[in-house]
Amino acid sequence: MQVLIVGASGHVGTLVTPFLKQKHTLRIYDVKAPADPTLEYWAGDVTDYENLKRALTGMDLLLYMAMNIQRGEELAIEHSSFDVNVKGVYLALKAAHEVGIPHAVHCSTMSVYDGALEVRYFFDEEMQPDARGTYGFTKRLGEEVCRNAWVRYGLSVNALRMCHPVSRQKYLEQARLGVPSIPTDAEDVARLMLAALEYRNGFQAFLTSGDYENKIMNMGKAKRLLGWEPLTRPEQ
């Protein structure tokens, strides 16, 4: 399949594109070129609707990976967060619909919930997101944009509430057997995205992390519908 990835030149994109390109032909849409020079690159801003539409033409699927994770209350940061996490999502999904793309994946985050993840158990995806900070709140709104795309256009969208994607090396440095861990190995994240690109059933949100024992969150929905669970384990 031909997949347009919006925002794949950042941290997460650099981690997962080596795995994604083994399964799909990728086109990267970003303000800067990706680290991998073999990937097709289309320069553009997420708020440029006409450019997004041109970049999406001829593609089969959309993977929205762009995110603004700067924290603070400065007006410039707030504008940037709304542009990338809300407006950009809206324009990308609208453009995808206009060119006939039927399905998209949105990289959301467990930061749609307020506070430290370790202090409560996330029993299912129906738990109401309650983040109040600029980043988490705008990502919450981005999920609602995805839901609206399904209602308005019939465009199926999977929102992946991800947790701290890291390289295999960093995962092994941090994770310990018997200790709940939410950072997620890059290959597990890539498998999650690949599964979400395949599964189509309206709007769906998924809790995901490296918590393979489900001690912090119940990832049963991802396993049931996507056939996904984190496979990487700490070393002995």
Side-chain angles (χ1 to χ4, degrees):
M1 291 283 192
Q2 306 275 339
V3 182
L4 180 78
I5 309 181
V6 176
S9 297
H11 170 69
V12 177
T14 302
L15 287 174
V16 301
T17 48
F19 303 103
L20 300 181
K21 74 177 187 179
Q22 296 175 22
K23 300 291 185 180
H24 297 291
T25 301
L26 308 180
R27 174 182 291 171
I28 309 303
Y29 184 96
D30 207 314
V31 292
K32 65 177 183 178
D36 183 349
T38 69
L39 296 173
E40 181 185 356
Y41 172 55
W42 191 298
D45 187 273
V46 294
T47 62
D48 187 341
Y49 176 73
E50 292 301 328
N51 198 26
L52 273 169
K53 192 173 176 180
R54 288 191 293 271
L56 281 159
T57 300
M59 298 288 102
D60 301 305
L61 300 165
L62 166 66
L63 173 54
Y64 194 94
M65 201 180 293
M67 60 188 74
N68 184 289
I69 60 174
Q70 293 175 295
R71 291 172 173 82
E73 297 305 322
E74 295 86 352
L75 190 59
I77 291 177
E78 292 177 347
H79 275 307
S80 181
S81 293
F82 275 90
D83 281 347
V84 175
N85 300 337
V86 186
K87 184 178 180 180
V89 180
Y90 176 84
L91 294 177
L93 293 175
K94 177 178 171 63
H97 166 68
E98 288 294 322
V99 302
I101 292 174
H103 180 65
V105 173
H106 173 52
C107 294
S108 186
T109 170
M110 285 298 292
S111 292
V112 297
Y113 295 103
D114 193 44
L117 297 182
E118 293 86 350
V119 301
R120 55 177 164 166
Y121 184 72
F122 296 86
F123 52 83
D124 67 22
E125 284 75 5
E126 295 306 310
M127 287 183 66
Q128 184 64 35
D130 56 3
R132 293 169 289 180
T134 301
Y135 174 61
F137 177 64
T138 54
K139 294 298 282 188
R140 284 171 58 190
L141 295 179
E143 288 192 7
E144 288 306 309
V145 170
C146 295
R147 189 190 306 273
N148 183 67
W150 163 243
V151 174
R152 184 177 182 183
Y153 305 132
L155 179 69
S156 60
V157 188
N158 293 319
L160 307 177
R161 294 175 182 165
M162 304 190 304
C163 271
H164 308 306
V166 294
S167 66
R168 176 67 55 84
Q169 179 181 348
K170 280 193 174 295
Y171 176 87
L172 294 176
E173 288 173 357
Q174 298 171 6
R176 297 292 181 270
L177 287 172
V179 179
S181 177
I182 57 176
T184 317
D185 173 64
E187 187 169 359
D188 281 335
V189 176
R191 287 192 306 101
L192 171 66
M193 292 175 179
L194 289 169
L197 286 168
E198 294 290 331
Y199 183 77
R200 308 181 188 189
N201 185 17
F203 170 77
Q204 301 288 341
F206 295 92
L207 303 179
T208 71
S209 75
D211 178 27
Y212 59 89
E213 293 184 324
N214 288 250
K215 289 184 176 180
I216 297 170
M217 67 187 69
N218 175 12
M219 297 183 287
K221 181 179 179 182
K223 184 174 183 179
R224 185 174 71 256
L225 299 185
L226 302 181
W228 179 88
E229 60 183 324
L231 299 181
T232 307
R233 299 291 184 267
E235 294 178 332
Q236 295 288 343

